[in-house]
Amino acid sequence: MALQELTYRDALRQALIDSMRENPDVIIMGEEVGRYGGAYAVTKELIKEFGAERVIDTPISEPAIIGAAVGAAMAGLRPVAELMYVDFIGMTMDQLGNQAAKIRYMFGGQIGVPMVLRTQGGTGRSAGAQHSQSLEAYVMHTPGLRLAMPATVSDAYHLLRMALTKPDPVVFIEHKALYTMKETVDLDAEPLAWGKSAVRREGKDLVIVTYSRQLHYVMEAAKKLSADGIEATVIDLRTLNPLDFDTIREHVERAGRAMVVSESVMTAGVAAELSARITEECFDYLEDPVVRVAGEDIPISVSTALETGSVPGPQLILETARKLLGARVAA
Amino acid sequence: MTKPEAIHAAPARPNTDLPQLYRTMRRIRTFEERVGELFVRGQSAGSMLHLSIGEESAAAGFCAHMQDGDTFTTHHRGHGIFLARGADPNRMMAEIGGKEAGYCHGKGGSMHIADMGLGHLGANAIVGGGIPAIIGAGLAARHHGTGKISVAFFGDGATGQGILYESMNMAALWRLPCVFVCINNQYGMGTRIDQATANAVLHERAHAFGLVAETVDGLDVEAVAEAAERLVAGAREGRPAFLVVDCYRFYGHARKDKSPYRDATEEETGRQKDPVAFARAALLERGLADAAELDALDAQIDAEMDATIDFTVAQTEPPLSTMFRDVYAPEEPEPEPVRVRIDRILARA
């Protein structure tokens, strides 16, 4: 297929369509996924092609939606359970953390739970403290769960397609502020492998590790740094489990400096884990501390000013990189 | 002791196979007694053992009407159900003992035992945790046109969990081939059902969701079997159901629980509701078996279950090398052990 301009939302939708056409066992279940077309319209009109038996509108029962997906996956379906907001993940943590994540292990490898939990998170829509969080650390902290967080339109398509072929439960967290982002993509082009991070930019002075929407802020900051004469390598993780640490190590050893940028809160978050790993594994190569640029340890406000201030943005990333590279900039 | 007049009052049950139901219940009873022995002998890996003595009729009676290919989930007190569905008692006991030869290679134990071959989608240590899986299994059965049902077995304690009601609602809404079997042994751990809810007529809740629902006296395994036959047939036709089996939990919540929350009189009365003794008396009363035949059957079951202990004691624990296996699918890399990681990091310095 030729190049086409697609939104992140359309790419996700296309991934669902292609997977459902290819595999009759793929079903979608969740709140408002059918007649309404999905709270963020990712499943718009899928019910027309695939019918209400495969695009299942559920009651507002998050624990049972995820629990039913667990049972469906064990019984031979490939369910995509949609959790409207990742903020509701706490409702489902028993089914996700105690059931889906542990069934293969507890049952001695007899069976896996090949389900995908599609959800979205993050700030950007003034949606308040219970609809704006970045809770990926909950998932990353639970062995047995895979975690994908696409930052680009191409990855939205390919990671979701790949998630629907994986043998283990995948939590797939989209970013609500990216749905309308457009890119020119060739969906037929060979994608990067699952579990492999993408080096979005290469530079000798600094490595910035990030994922999801923060990638775009990091790229914006990196462009400005380049104007200052600072060249950053930008690594987009794509999947947080599996975590491609080899790529991070390789680049950090070369540059000697690393920053981690994440929208989730600072304390005990994804950035904390990445920072600890870089510090442990690349200690001899580091010239400066690994700096975390992460969400503030506070709830998200409805006020746009407070909301924006609660999470990293291009300016904070840029300032942090300049401070880290201070001596070099001055020279 | 079982009241003889109750046996006289029991109606004729042409469709039930009482000798077989008795055998199943007696095997469960004896298996559970041996589980307790394993624990006393220090051979049980699990520190938590929940026995279903007094509840055998629910497992035997209901499972008598399940078929190959039907799936089910159980709870923390589910040994009897698995046995009634055809489990190998040796592999069960070995799993409870945390041995490699067990159903889950020693990783699951009593509360996470499962066997896909027998349709056992898993016991559960989270109260109510296994219930919603039958919704998905029911959807899958319908999607694939298998004609199979999926059954959740759980205790009265799970009626305090919201996920039960979410699941009941979905089953009724989507007319799934599902049955909810609530084994009401009167206690959620140490809290009696009337201390946990203002309306202990539990099946009324299912009516509220539009499920077919009834309560049956667990003293009489034939009554359970007859209810199961009706409800299972309906479920296969897309009429999901909810069955409460009224029982009494003879012993404490777990092996070490001496039940300080209930008195001896209550226990004595409760233990008169003994479905195994009741079935035995009914067999004799109706001339379906004589005492010598039943004694011989009992002896055979005792020997079978004694052997599970010897089998389990002789088994080995899973090798440490299996510790990192099955976190993810076999084709995926295993997690890096902490020791390996530490050595790798410190070797760099």
Side-chain angles (χ1 to χ4, degrees):
Chain A
M1 201 183 287
L3 293 175
Q4 54 181 325
E5 193 174 57
L6 275 184
T7 62
Y8 185 85
R9 169 191 289 135
D10 289 338
L12 293 163
R13 185 168 173 275
Q14 195 60 47
L16 291 171
I17 290 171
D18 291 349
S19 296
M20 291 181 86
R21 284 179 184 160
E22 204 171 273
N23 182 353
D25 286 335
V26 175
I27 62 162
I28 297 173
M29 54 193 305
E31 295 156 7
E32 311 297 347
V33 296
R35 294 166 194 87
Y36 190 98
Y40 283 91
V42 173
T43 56
K44 189 179 173 186
E45 294 184 349
L46 293 196
I47 195 169
K48 283 190 181 165
E49 177 172 349
F50 300 105
E53 294 279 313
R54 290 183 71 194
V55 183
I56 304 170
D57 278 320
T58 66
I60 303 171
S61 304
E62 289 88 1
I65 294 167
I66 304 308
V70 170
M74 293 177 78
L77 294 178
R78 267 222 173 254
V80 181
E82 180 172 318
L83 185 64
M84 198 185 285
Y85 286 78
V86 76
D87 308 70
F88 311 158
I89 204 167
M91 305 275 303
T92 75
M93 266 327 251
D94 175 55
Q95 290 302 319
L96 188 62
N98 281 327
Q99 316 296 340
K102 294 179 174 61
I103 278 172
R104 184 187 293 280
Y105 193 84
M106 291 191 299
F107 300 169
Q110 289 182 57
I111 195 165
V113 183
M115 62 176 278
V116 173
L117 189 164
R118 262 194 62 240
T119 187
Q120 56 79 26
T123 57
R125 288 183 60 88
S126 192
Q130 298 172 342
H131 284 71
S132 304
Q133 296 170 88
S134 298
L135 299 179
E136 54 271 24
Y138 290 8
V139 179
M140 200 181 182
H141 194 65
T142 306
L145 300 177
R146 298 303 194 184
L147 174 58
M149 297 188 70
T152 68
V153 172
S154 172
D155 275 350
Y157 178 81
H158 289 297
L159 288 176
L160 186 51
R161 289 280 277 150
M162 288 188 269
L164 275 161
T165 65
K166 291 294 151 191
D168 295 308
V170 179
V171 178
F172 191 94
I173 309 180
E174 299 151 17
H175 198 293
K176 66 169 67 63
L178 294 182
Y179 283 125
T180 54
M181 176 181 69
K182 278 185 184 166
E183 269 175 31
T184 302
V185 289
D186 176 2
L187 296 184
D188 293 331
E190 190 65 24
L192 266 178
W194 175 263
K196 182 86 184 147
S197 62
V199 179
R200 302 290 184 193
R201 187 183 192 288
E202 286 202 64
K204 63 185 188 326
D205 300 317
L206 166 72
V207 177
I208 308 178
V209 182
T210 190
Y211 58 94
S212 193
R213 179 180 58 165
Q214 292 293 327
L215 170 68
H216 304 285
Y217 292 163
V218 169
M219 292 299 279
E220 198 180 321
K223 202 169 161 190
K224 289 182 179 155
L225 286 169
S226 181
D228 293 348
I230 298 169
E231 297 300 338
T233 292
V234 175
I235 297 175
D236 170 11
L237 292 172
R238 302 172 71 242
T239 59
L240 279 70
N241 183 344
L243 178 67
D244 176 14
F245 196 79
D246 288 344
T247 301
I248 297 174
R249 182 193 296 109
E250 179 195 327
H251 286 274
V252 172
E253 285 183 358
R254 216 177 293 156
R257 282 187 187 83
M259 268 169 60
V260 181
V261 180
S262 161
E263 194 167 320
S264 74
V265 299
M266 176 79 80
T267 300
V270 170
E273 174 60 28
L274 292 168
S275 163
R277 285 199 186 210
I278 296 169
T279 303
E280 276 184 336
E281 303 216 12
C282 310
F283 187 75
D284 296 338
Y285 298 85
L286 289 172
E287 293 177 39
D288 287 296
V290 179
V291 180
R292 284 178 289 163
V293 183
E296 302 289 350
D297 284 324
I298 58 173
I300 306 291
S301 295
V302 164
S303 149
T304 308
L306 297 187
E307 179 191 32
T308 310
S310 301
V311 297
Q315 192 56 32
L316 179 62
I317 297 164
L318 181 63
E319 284 168 15
T320 308
R322 280 179 176 157
K323 284 173 190 165
L324 184 61
L325 276 289
R328 192 172 300 214
V329 177
Chain B
M1 284 304 293
T2 308
K3 294 187 188 73
E5 63 270 24
I7 295 163
H8 292 305
R13 315 268 191 187
N15 293 329
T16 58
D17 182 351
L18 187 58
Q20 184 57 33
L21 291 170
Y22 171 77
R23 180 175 179 273
T24 306
M25 289 198 297
R26 181 59 163 72
R27 287 178 79 237
I28 295 169
R29 172 74 52 97
T30 310
F31 181 86
E32 295 288 50
E33 287 167 357
R34 296 301 177 272
V35 169
E37 246 171 67
L38 194 73
F39 184 82
V40 170
R41 287 171 59 170
Q43 285 287 335
S44 170
S47 61
M48 297 183 184
L49 289 170
H50 309 91
L51 306 183
S52 63
I53 294 176
E55 307 171 17
E56 296 88 346
S57 60
F62 197 90
C63 292
H65 291 284
M66 289 176 69
Q67 298 175 354
D68 288 352
D70 290 342
T71 55
F72 62 104
T73 60
T74 67
H75 55 328
H76 60 288
R77 204 178 298 285
H79 300 159
I81 298 151
F82 193 21
L83 267 179
R85 287 299 300 136
D88 170 358
N90 280 335
R91 289 183 67 198
M92 275 188 75
M93 195 65 85
E95 185 58 41
I96 292 165
K99 300 298 176 72
E100 168 79 357
Y103 271 103
C104 306
H105 308 304
K107 281 178 172 168
S110 167
M111 293 200 286
H112 309 298
I113 203 162
D115 182 59
M116 297 310 126
L118 291 171
H120 191 354
L121 303 183
N124 223 292
I126 306 296
V127 173
I131 295 170
I134 72 162
I135 299 302
L139 284 168
R142 190 161 71 190
H143 186 87
H144 292 131
T146 62
K148 299 302 176 188
I149 61 165
S150 195
V151 184
F153 294 91
F154 49 91
D156 48 291
T159 63
Q161 294 282 27
I163 200 157
L164 169 63
Y165 304 104
E166 296 182 10
S167 302
M168 284 160 66
N169 183 46
M170 286 179 178
L173 179 67
W174 297 330
R175 298 185 178 87
L176 294 176
C178 294
V179 185
F180 300 85
V181 180
C182 176
I183 303 170
N184 181 3
N185 67 15
Q186 315 302 321
Y187 282 88
M189 208 167 162
T191 302
R192 210 171 54 218
I193 185 69
D194 62 351
Q195 295 160 342
T197 180
N199 179 4
V201 186
L202 300 174
H203 76 262
E204 288 181 357
R205 301 172 190 200
H207 283 150
F209 289 98
L211 294 164
V212 179
E214 61 183 273
T215 295
V216 65
D217 184 357
L219 174 65
D220 183 357
V221 67
E222 290 183 296
V224 179
E226 284 202 340
E229 186 176 21
R230 278 194 307 278
L231 299 183
V232 164
R236 288 196 202 285
E237 303 294 320
R239 290 189 303 280
F242 188 97
L243 177 66
V244 180
V245 183
D246 260 329
C247 305
Y248 188 76
R249 194 186 74 204
F250 278 24
Y251 300 106
H253 161 69
R255 192 61 198 167
K256 283 183 174 169
D257 171 19
K258 303 292 182 215
S259 309
Y261 41 82
R262 61 189 195 185
D263 62 37
T265 315
E266 185 206 298
E267 289 198 340
E268 199 182 316
T269 312
R271 286 176 192 162
Q272 285 178 13
K273 200 180 170 80
D274 183 341
V276 181
F278 186 84
R280 196 178 210 280
L283 285 170
L284 294 170
E285 166 76 18
R286 291 191 216 153
L288 292 168
D290 64 32
E293 285 167 345
L294 291 179
D295 288 347
L297 175 64
D298 291 353
Q300 186 196 349
I301 291 169
D302 289 345
E304 180 197 12
M305 296 307 170
D306 284 344
T308 66
I309 302 278
D310 299 334
F311 175 82
T312 298
V313 170
Q315 299 303 313
T316 53
E317 286 206 39
L320 269 181
S321 61
T322 65
M323 195 162 78
F324 295 91
R325 190 179 296 166
D326 299 324
V327 182
Y328 302 102
E331 62 269 31
E332 306 278 328
E334 291 182 358
E336 186 181 29
V338 168
R339 280 169 198 281
V340 173
R341 180 182 163 72
I342 289 169
D343 289 346
R344 182 167 58 74
I345 288 162
L346 295 182
R348 301 178 69 89

